[in-house]
Amino acid sequence: MVKTAVVTAGTAGIGLETALGLADAGFSVTVVGRDADRGARAVDRINARNPAHPGRFLPADLGSLDQVRALADRIAAEHAASGDPLSVLVNNVGAMFPQRQTLDGVEASFVVNHLSPYLLTELLLPTLTNGAPSRIVNVTSGAVGLAKRAFDAVEPPGGYYGFHWYGRAKLANLVYTLDLANRLEGTAVSVFAADPGGAATDMTDGTMADPKIVSPPLRLLWPLVRRKFERSTSGPASVAARPSIVAATDGALAGRTGIVIGAQAHPVTPLRAATDPRIAQDVRRLSERYAPLALT
Ligand SMILES: NC(=O)c1ccc[n+]([C@@H]2O[C@H](COP(=O)([O-])OP(=O)(O)OC[C@H]3O[C@@H](n4cnc5c(N)ncnc54)[C@H](OP(=O)(O)O)[C@@H]3O)[C@@H](O)[C@H]2O)c1
């Protein structure tokens, strides 16, 4: 039986390097992205690494919850038909928006960094459970450390700062990740978060050079902050993919769950707020409201 993995936003950057690592580990890898040419190039690279188990590209804009639903339906139906287990889901998609924007009426950072991976995961849980032992890997970020921790609404009050809104949406997703691990305890579906540290990718190319992405207090320290951003996003995506690859494949993690794999590709202690049950409850309420599993 073929081991299969799905990597979202897997056609470039950290996601593509993660997909290549999973191909090296023997998985047949599906990569998801928007651009079909990029998808085809990614599949060529994946197949060169693991010709015995070819990869494939599935198109979806993961900023659209309707497209997330269609993607989940397709993957679930294909696994049901083939009987091949879905062993790994890497929710790698993420985005920072320098200017505030909405997607179907909901603030975009929250949609792409949390609601979209949340919805894909929840809709694929029956497939992942059938394929167990299986693993879910949610890609997090060091930006969670500077995020506002109130989740009574999609957006906190006050001005929009792209870096902080990104970090807050990633924090929602990290809280969800650890909450889900508790929920699935004993099911043989393991849930991990992976922090890539940083890398020079499309996402970081140019987006972190504008002081308007940070709050006014941090802007006062902009030369320092900018240097820190530049340093932390200058490395190769292949190194930043290691935490996700370890989370998805390391035999030492078999039977374990609810672990954050840090930028050095070792388990680390999660941020305290990420395990706060009140925050988890608020995130659950927002997720269920803005990304309902069933459309009425
Ligand atoms: N880079 C860093 O320094 C850093 C640091 C901490 C955490 N992270 C996290 O690591 C993950 C990967 O980051 P990255 O820097 O590699 O990102 P990236 O450069 O934006 O990744 C590019 C990939 O994302 C796909 N993609 C982007 N938006 C998409 C959408 N709406 N729907 C479907 N696919 C989409 C692209 O495909 P198309 O071109 O076809 O759309 C491409 O495959 C993210 O979760 C990010 O938040 C990154």
Side-chain angles (χ1 to χ4, degrees):
M1 204 167 291
V2 191
K3 290 187 298 183
T4 64
V6 171
V7 182
T8 68
T11 60
I14 297 168
L16 175 57
E17 294 297 337
T18 303
L20 294 173
L22 294 181
D24 287 342
F27 285 86
S28 170
V29 186
T30 295
V31 286
V32 180
R34 292 169 294 192
D35 184 295
D37 291 336
R38 230 178 185 187
R41 287 196 299 274
V43 169
D44 285 346
R45 289 192 56 194
I46 289 166
N47 292 349
R49 301 277 274 262
N50 184 3
H53 301 296
R56 65 167 177 163
F57 166 71
L58 286 183
D61 181 345
L62 298 164
S64 155
L65 296 185
D66 287 344
Q67 292 195 35
V68 171
R69 285 194 180 85
L71 176 71
D73 283 352
R74 179 170 174 180
I75 294 171
E78 286 173 355
H79 281 277
S82 71
D84 289 332
L86 175 57
S87 307
V88 168
L89 169 64
V90 183
N91 285 304
N92 170 75
V93 76
M96 191 184 318
F97 298 91
Q99 268 90 42
R100 184 182 180 278
Q101 51 181 287
T102 57
L103 295 167
D104 290 330
V106 184
E107 194 278 316
S109 321
F110 203 74
V111 175
V112 177
N113 295 291
H114 174 58
L115 294 177
S116 164
Y118 157 79
L119 185 60
L120 186 64
T121 303
E122 292 290 329
L123 294 175
L124 286 177
L125 272 186
T127 309
L128 287 155
T129 305
N130 282 340
S134 53
R135 299 187 187 192
I136 298 163
V137 180
N138 289 336
V139 177
T140 185
S141 165
V144 297
L146 288 175
K148 285 192 180 161
R149 291 162 190 190
F151 290 98
D152 46 347
V154 164
E155 288 183 85
Y160 176 84
Y161 311 112
F163 176 76
H164 301 282
W165 263 228
Y166 163 77
R168 181 174 168 277
K170 283 285 190 189
L171 176 58
N173 198 248
L174 180 59
V175 169
Y176 164 66
T177 302
L178 300 177
D179 190 35
L180 180 66
N182 288 335
R183 228 172 88 197
L184 297 182
E185 190 82 57
T187 64
V189 181
S190 297
V191 189
F192 302 108
D195 177 359
T201 63
D202 288 355
M203 192 186 93
T204 53
D205 185 17
T207 50
M208 303 185 77
D210 181 350
K212 291 204 186 84
I213 65 167
V214 298
S215 60
L218 269 191
R219 254 179 245 169
L220 294 173
L221 305 169
W222 181 245
L224 266 176
V225 173
R226 184 181 176 155
R227 254 202 312 281
K228 189 163 166 41
F229 282 168
E230 275 170 1
R231 260 204 310 272
S232 64
T233 59
S234 61
S238 55
V239 172
R242 280 190 201 142
S244 292
I245 296 167
V246 164
T249 64
D250 191 346
L253 294 173
R256 301 180 67 194
T257 193
I259 293 171
V260 180
I261 304 299
Q264 306 304 318
H266 298 299
V268 294
T269 306
L271 188 75
R272 189 117 138 251
T275 58
D276 182 328
R278 280 165 315 174
I279 298 183
Q281 195 178 29
D282 287 348
V283 167
R284 210 176 306 135
R285 200 176 302 123
L286 278 182
S287 310
E288 287 167 0
R289 173 159 178 208
Y290 288 96
L293 303 193
L295 291 178
T296 48

